Amino acid sequence: MEGNATEFAATMLAFTVALVPLTGIMTIVTPFLMRRGEVFAVTVPDTAAHDPYLRRLKRRYALLMATLTAVLTAVGAFGAFTGDAGLALAVLCVGMLLLCIGSYGLMLYFRSKVRSYKKEQGWQASARESVAVVGDAPVPRAVSLKWNLLYLPVIAVTLAIGAVGYAQMPDLIPQHMNFQGEVTEYMEKTPFTILAPALIVAFVAACMAFAHWTILRSKRPSNPSAPATSALAYGMFARAQSILLVAGGLALSVLGPVMELSFIGVIGLEQAGVFVVALALVIVVGSIVVSLVYGQGGSRVFSRMAASERLLADDDEHWKLGVFYYNPDDASLFLPERFGIGWTMNWARPAVWAIMLAGLVLTVAFVAAVMTLM
């Protein structure tokens, strides 16, 4: 038993620490995945993609983020190899926060430099971005929202496992385990116990379906000089991201049946923990691969298919602090991010605030329900 506990602790610590460098990699490569006409959330001519000064800024950003990632990874690895779970967890929690804050802070710093450089160079918008009509050419799109119906069988299976195995559940069910494999918290067995895992799956399904819906409803960027190519590149990006979202969400939803099986005692809580962390790593790695292949908004696909020498829509004034889009004249609710992989919201639209409020209410209700059931 002691050997199993030691192996479990080592496995969990290794998986946990691995999340730090993976997250760091995403922050390091972010500036190189943006569209050619966007540098640190500032619109520049496409021809400036090879400007020595701008390339130097990107390399400085990458070097600083790589240094921070290396330091955090080294500290976390030290904690893992010495069995110091407290240090490893501290690196995971504080380190991930530092990576996010550091990335955003550096983006703002270099954004100010790019804005000054843009003014010095006299770069002005030569065209406004418009929606491109590609005729009858087949343009890839995000997969149908109907794929999210696959969560329903998972919820049904989760409830079925709990109902069938309820009699085999102990009166006190292990709920939490430390890195040494020791159970630290239990919950009492009640008829509502089997509902908690199903509720978690339903919440994951709701979050993933909403994210999928934002992709389908997002504003589609277009390059005026190559409308067909840019539409094709963005379509490929949206499709890949939506497939990753559906596959990753369904993979996460397996947590429901796994929890029920651990309640029954078919699998141990330690095996369930290793499964969840390993699954998280696979999803993170998948996200990195898709981001590197397609780039933000399909930028890497576009660069492989065509070269443009036009300036993208110069709407810098609508991007507050580089990442918050606020444009009352834009009817779009969602649009691709300017610094990062994915989509963001148009905070000038009242509907966005209503959506965020509804999401907050749903989250609070979910947490309250799970705490009540468990």
Side-chain angles (χ1 to χ4, degrees), residues 133-147:
V133 178
V134 193
D136 296 328
V139 177
R141 298 178 183 275
V143 298
S144 171
L145 200 61
K146 293 179 181 179
W147 281 96

Side-chain angles (χ1 to χ4, degrees), residues 131-145 147 212 215-221 230-244 246 294 343:
V131 177
V133 178
V134 193
D136 296 328
V139 177
R141 298 178 183 275
V143 298
S144 171
L145 200 61
W147 281 96
H212 190 171
I215 296 177
L216 293 170
R217 299 284 296 180
S218 172
K219 179 180 181 180
R220 300 173 186 175
S230 58
L232 177 62
Y234 176 78
M236 294 173 64
F237 166 75
R239 186 172 183 82
Q241 288 288 348
S242 64
I243 292 174
L244 177 66
V246 171
Y294 291 92
W343 285 261

Side-chain angles (χ1 to χ4, degrees), residues 187-205:
M187 63 179 175
E188 294 184 5
K189 170 186 173 181
T190 71
F192 294 102
T193 301
I194 62 176
L195 293 179
L199 187 60
I200 291 175
V201 175
F203 183 74
V204 170

Side-chain angles (χ1 to χ4, degrees), residues 52-77:
Y53 178 73
L54 297 182
R55 295 180 68 179
R56 188 160 60 248
L57 292 183
K58 290 182 181 181
R59 288 195 296 267
R60 286 174 57 189
Y61 166 91
L63 178 61
L64 290 172
M65 289 306 304
T67 301
L68 178 59
T69 300
V71 171
L72 292 172
T73 301
V75 175

Side-chain angles (χ1 to χ4, degrees), residues 279-295:
L279 183 60
L281 284 177
V282 171
I283 293 174
V284 171
V285 171
S287 300
I288 292 176
V289 171
V290 171
S291 298
L292 292 176
V293 171
Y294 291 92

